[in-house]
Structure formats: C-alpha cells, structure tokens
C-alpha cells in the first residue's frame, strides 16, 4: 500500500499528546481514507527495524489520509488543495519556479482554446443583444421557434440547452465527446507537422531541435461538451531545463501553426449499426492568446495577450468543476438515476444517447463507464513530458516541507525530494499500509475503536 500518500511522521508526534481528533489528523478532509500500518526505520546491514510511526499510536488505532478528491462537491478541503497544486504546476510551467528555470517565460508560448463544432442551435449569452434575434422568426420542422429574444443571465437554467431538442444532433454530440481525446492526439501530430513545414524540416529533424510542451485542461461548456484550454510552449530538444530551440520560432509562428493544425485535424468514427459514420473536426472558434509575463495581470478575459498567472488561475478553476454544473454525481449508471438526482433534461438526453450508442457494441461499450462525464473519457488535465513539475512532486514536497519548515519555499522541489537527510546513513524507511475503510467513524464506532486500540496497546 505504499502508493497511498500518508505523512508517516507528523500525525504520530501530534497524537502523542492524545488530543487531536480524526478531523484534525485528516486536516478537514470530508471523507478520508482510514489506514492501518506503520513506517519503520530499517538498518540495511543488520535488517534491524525500529518503528518510527504506527497507526497503533493513534487514539483510535487508525491513520487518516486525505481523500485527495479534486471535486469541490465531494471534498471542499481536498479540492481546495488540489486547485492550489494545479495552480503551482501550471504557473511553474508558464513562468518558471520550484526548479523550472525562469527562462521558460521567454519562450514562444500561446494559450489555445479548442472547441467542439455546433450540433444545433443552443441558448447562449451574447456580448450584445439577445440570445438569438431573428426578424423572420423561423420555426424548425417540429414547429418550435429557432429564435430567442431573451438575455440569459449567467445562471439561467436554459443556457446551453438546444432551441429544439428533437432537432439537436445528440448522436454527433456524444460521438464527438467520445472521440475528443483521439482528435486531440491527432492535433498534436498535425501541430508538429505544421511547425516542421514552416521550418522546412522533416518532422524527425524538427523534433531533434524543438520540443512542443503543453498542459491541457478540459472544461465543459454549458451545452455539456468538452473544450480544451492548452498553454503550448516551444522548448529546445531537452525540454524546459535545457537551452531554447535554435529554430527561428516565435509566438506568432506558433499561433499560425496551431490554427493550420486545428483546421487540418479530422477523424472518421467507427460506423454505427445502421452504417452511418461521422467525420469529426474542431469547432471554427480556435482562439490563441499570447502568454507573456509583461501582460497586465487583471486584463480582460478576452485580451489578446495574457499573463501566466491569469492563465494558471483560469485553468485551476476549471479543474475542480468538471460536470457538477449539470447536477451529476461522481458515478452515473443510468438515465433514470441521472433524472432522479436532478440532472437537466439536456444532460439526461446526452446520457440516453450515450447508452444507446454503447448498446451497439465495440468500440463504444465503454461509454457506459463514462456517463458521469457525459461520455468524455480523458483525464481532466494531461501534459506533455517535462512540461513542468508534477502533482506527485508537489504533494511529496508538501510533506517534506511540513517535516522541515526551515526549507526554502522557492527551492527546486526535485532537489527537496532527493534530500533524504531525515534518514540516517545505512538506514532506509519502509512503510506498509492496509486499507481499513473510508470516511469518519460514527461516535459509537469511534468509541469502540478507541477502546480496542487501547486494549491492543496494553496487551
Ligand atoms: Zn478530502
Ligand atoms: Zn435563448
Ligand atoms: Zn425541431
């Protein structure tokens, strides 16, 4: 169980006084993981072991590890921590810090947003004027208006819902969502091809001299479809730590290549049972905004030039949201369940369509496992190799900093992690943990646990 992130040292020291509650030990996590086990210091020459920390020392005999869930609706405390970690990861990649050199900020870098195409008119917020003003007031074949004179507020339940649900192409919508990770993969290949072409190099030759680094964050639009926000940076062949690329590439050139690559990316879906296939591509709105440390931190959301910290803050916010806005729980098994928990009519229709496509067999069967994300199967954040520091490094360094408050907060976290000065020479820390459940115990259960822990200590 060494994969579970537990701080082996501090909880034991604190609870030695016997005062901290389970909540204090889990630092306010809503549903922590309960573990039993210990960390021992082992003499590598003799094999002799001393227990440094054991869950037996806790009042109730359990070690509480934070759940680490990024969803604010599941655990506000862990979600908050996750958001902070994501912010650090993104900012270090954009502006340097925690061991990523500051010079990354001077490299060609743009903030790209890739959207899905339209699958039918939906209610939306316009900059000026009403939702869909049409003088001729047309109606669809079902007799429903294809116009809307409302000015929807940001919390209007109608936002993102189709003007006519029967005209809306739900099959196209679900297929696009399902294939979005593959469309992204093809985009990354196309981007390298376009950049190589601009430099008049073969792709292999381009890769020897330049590396495309990125970190991609998914946001669900009001209409329930993923779109991608991606800071893309051009590094030298060794990534952020090595020298810059020697190729004559600028942010403008990168943005040109992004637009060309997005326009050139498409894929044909596996045929549905009736033989139909869809040709999928990106939406027409391909937005590139140059990222530079010289930009105004408080500039408008739509500014052409943005500050790295602004970009990191947007992205960290998207990460903790996922599909919660559609009233969906973490796990959805049927359209009926989604309806019962109060999901919108539009979300239920998407789930019904996803289930219908899943019933058609491979390669769509796994759509059933992705209903809670409306058919999206990718991760909320993915990054190219060596874009920045990683979540794992940030989490582990937090434990290192907690054990040793004297550490420089701006230190290279990769060096902090290598530093095992806590462990004497010739010794090794060995941990073993067993999962004992999740969540806090009820008062009765806690009392019983305290009693049995006390008994086992006296034995
Ligand atoms: Zn938690
Ligand atoms: Zn409207
Ligand atoms: Zn219609």
């Amino acid at each position: 169980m060494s994969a579970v992130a537990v701080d082996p040292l501090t909880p034991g020291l604190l609870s030695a006084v016997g005062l901290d509650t389970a909540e204090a030990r889990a630092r306010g996590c809503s549903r922590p993981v309960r573990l039993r086990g210990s960390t021992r210091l082992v003499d590598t020459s003799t094999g002799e072991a001393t227990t440094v920390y054991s869950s037996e020392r806790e009042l109730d005999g359990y070690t509480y590890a934070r759940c680490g869930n990024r969803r604010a609706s599941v655990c506000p405390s862990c979600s908050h921590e996750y958001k902070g970690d994501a912010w650090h990861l993104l900012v270090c990649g954009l502006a340097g810090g925690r061991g990523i050199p500051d010079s990354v900020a001077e490299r060609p870098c743009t903030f790209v947003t890739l959207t899905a195409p339209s699958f039918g008119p939906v209610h939306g917020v316009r900059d000026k004027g009403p939702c869909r003003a049409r003088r001729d007031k047309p109606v669809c074949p079902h007799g429903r208006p294809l116009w809307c004179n409302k000015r929807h507020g940001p919390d209007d339940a109608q936002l993102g819902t189709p003007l006519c649900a029967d005209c809306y192409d739900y099959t196209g919508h679900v297929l696009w969502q399902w294939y979005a990770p593959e469309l992204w993969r093809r985009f990354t290949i196309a981007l390298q091809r376009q950049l190589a072409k601009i430099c008049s190099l073969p792709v292999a030759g381009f890769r020897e001299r330049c590396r495309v680094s990125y970190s991609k964050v998914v946001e669900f639009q009001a209409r329930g479809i993923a779109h991608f926000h991606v800071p893309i940076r051009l590094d030298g062949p060794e990534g952020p730590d090595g020298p810059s690329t020697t190729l004559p590439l600028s942010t403008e050139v990168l943005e040109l290549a992004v637009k060309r690559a997005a326009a050139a990316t498409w894929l044909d879906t596996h045929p549905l049972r009736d033989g139909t296939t869809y040709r999928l591509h990106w939406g027409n709105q391909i937005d590139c905004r140059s990222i530079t440390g010289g930009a105004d931190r408080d500039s408008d959301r739509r500014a052409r030039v943005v500050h790295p910290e602004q970009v990191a803050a947007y992205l960290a916010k998207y990460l903790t949201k996922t599909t919660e806005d559609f009233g969906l729980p973490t796990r959805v098994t049927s359209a009926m369940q989604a309806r019962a928990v109060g999901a919108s009519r539009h979300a239920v229709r998407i789930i019904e369509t996803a289930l219908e496509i899943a019933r058609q067999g491979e390669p769509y069967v796994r759509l059933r496992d992705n209903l809670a994300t409306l058919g999206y199967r990718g991760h909320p954040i993915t990054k190219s190799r060596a874009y920045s520091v990683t979540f794992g490094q940030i989490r582990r360094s937090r434990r290192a900093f907690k054990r040793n408050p004297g550490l420089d907060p701006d230190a290279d976290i990769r060096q902090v992690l290598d530093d095992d000065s806590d462990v004497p020479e010739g010794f090794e820390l060995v941990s073993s943990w067993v999962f004992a459940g999740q969540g806090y115990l009820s008062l009765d259960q806690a009392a019983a646990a305290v009693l049995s822990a006390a008994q086992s200590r006296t034995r």
Side-chain angles (χ1 to χ4, degrees):
M1 288 287 296
S2 58
V4 180
V6 206
D7 184 334
L9 300 176
T10 33
L13 295 176
L14 281 171
S15 62
V17 259
L19 285 175
D20 55 333
T21 59
E23 282 85 349
R25 278 179 275 152
R27 290 185 288 125
C29 170
S30 305
R31 27 162 252 159
V33 178
R34 291 198 305 281
L35 301 165
R36 283 185 199 279
S38 62
T39 298
R40 290 175 308 160
L41 195 60
V42 180
D43 184 327
T44 43
S45 54
T46 64
E48 201 181 318
T50 352
T51 303
V52 189
Y53 167 74
S54 161
S55 49
E56 280 180 15
R57 290 187 194 169
E58 304 293 354
L59 203 58
D60 53 7
Y62 291 114
T63 296
Y64 284 85
R66 288 165 62 79
C67 74
N69 199 298
R70 77 191 148 77
R71 290 176 159 230
S73 63
V74 175
C75 180
S77 170
C78 288
S79 168
H80 182 77
E81 195 166 270
Y82 179 90
K83 203 159 148 181
D85 289 354
W87 188 85
H88 277 294
L89 182 157
L90 293 160
V91 151
C92 294
L94 293 163
R98 319 288 290 270
I100 302 289
D102 295 349
S103 58
V104 292
E106 281 134 46
R107 295 184 177 174
C109 189
T110 186
F111 184 35
V112 180
T113 299
L114 292 166
T115 58
S118 166
F119 294 100
V122 295
H123 294 280
V125 181
R126 313 280 163 238
D127 280 346
K128 299 176 197 121
C131 171
R132 270 170 193 275
R134 289 285 297 268
R135 206 163 292 166
D136 52 345
K137 298 200 165 22
V139 289
C140 77
H142 307 93
R144 297 185 186 119
L146 287 177
W147 50 272
C148 171
N149 282 333
K150 285 188 198 157
R151 284 168 199 261
H152 302 288
D155 299 320
D156 192 328
Q158 255 191 325
L159 271 190
T161 65
L163 271 75
C164 172
D166 294 316
C167 284
Y168 192 80
D169 182 5
Y170 279 99
T171 307
H173 176 129
V174 170
L175 287 175
W176 193 93
Q177 189 103 293
W178 180 246
Y179 280 104
E182 174 59 16
L183 207 58
W184 166 258
R185 195 185 68 85
R186 292 190 187 196
F187 166 78
T188 58
I189 297 167
L191 178 59
Q192 293 196 24
R193 245 182 237 150
Q194 290 295 340
L195 286 165
K197 203 163 138 192
I198 290 170
C199 300
S200 312
L201 282 171
V203 174
F206 170 79
R207 281 214 202 110
E208 278 164 22
R209 297 167 70 182
C210 178
R211 184 189 280 184
V212 180
S213 298
Y214 65 84
S215 126
K216 155 175 138 290
V217 169
V218 173
E219 185 200 13
F220 281 88
Q221 287 181 311
R223 60 180 164 143
I225 206 156
H227 67 182
F228 297 138
H229 300 284
V230 205
I232 302 179
R233 186 185 69 218
L234 297 178
D235 288 329
E238 289 152 51
D241 297 309
S244 302
T245 176
T246 51
L247 294 171
L249 292 164
S250 63
T251 299
E252 292 70 42
V253 170
L254 170 61
E255 291 177 349
L256 178 72
V258 163
K259 288 189 172 151
R260 285 185 184 165
T265 307
W266 57 271
L267 75 86
D268 284 333
T269 66
H270 190 271
L272 297 173
R273 205 182 280 147
D274 64 4
T276 4
T277 62
Y278 276 73
R279 177 156 293 187
L280 305 176
H281 50 85
W282 299 109
N284 295 328
Q285 277 182 359
I286 294 144
D287 186 39
C288 286
R289 289 183 289 163
S290 317
I291 305 176
T292 148
D296 177 7
R297 253 166 258 241
D298 304 311
S299 63
D300 180 69
R301 256 196 89 119
R302 281 175 291 262
R304 258 300 282 124
V305 178
V306 279
H307 192 274
E309 287 182 10
Q310 251 182 324
V311 175
Y314 289 150
L315 297 178
K317 191 181 82 200
Y318 300 144
L319 273 174
T320 49
K321 267 185 26 186
T322 62
T323 44
E324 282 165 11
D325 287 354
F326 304 101
L328 292 169
T330 16
R331 187 147 171 74
V332 174
T333 49
S334 69
M336 216 205 288
Q337 180 215 358
R339 202 177 294 127
V341 297
S344 73
R345 177 82 202 98
H346 181 56
V348 171
R349 254 321 253 278
I350 295 172
I351 290 169
E352 281 167 351
T353 311
L355 285 166
E356 215 172 277
I357 299 173
R359 275 193 289 276
Q360 309 208 3
E362 292 302 347
Y364 300 120
V365 177
R366 277 208 319 113
L367 258 170
R368 233 177 256 146
D369 306 329
N370 295 272
L371 298 177
T373 47
L374 300 174
Y376 181 72
R377 58 180 151 158
H379 289 284
I381 180 169
T382 49
K383 47 194 198 62
S384 62
R385 200 159 57 91
Y387 167 76
S388 179
V389 291
T390 68
F391 274 114
Q393 288 170 333
I394 293 177
R395 280 187 202 121
R396 278 180 288 137
S397 74
R398 177 167 36 243
R399 295 196 289 278
F401 281 105
K402 224 173 354 143
R403 276 203 296 276
N404 187 353
L407 284 173
D408 171 12
D410 294 322
D412 182 336
I413 63 172
R414 290 166 294 189
Q415 270 163 25
V416 169
L417 295 174
D418 285 343
D419 174 20
D420 48 6
S421 54
D422 282 3
V423 183
E425 189 128 352
F427 287 83
E428 211 177 288
L429 274 182
V430 179
S431 296
S432 83
W433 298 102
V434 178
F435 176 78
Q438 189 157 24
Y440 294 107
L441 302 172
S442 71
L443 209 53
D444 284 349
Q445 287 171 312
V450 169
L451 186 65
S452 96
Q455 281 166 348
S456 82
R457 274 193 289 267
T458 41
R459 273 201 302 274

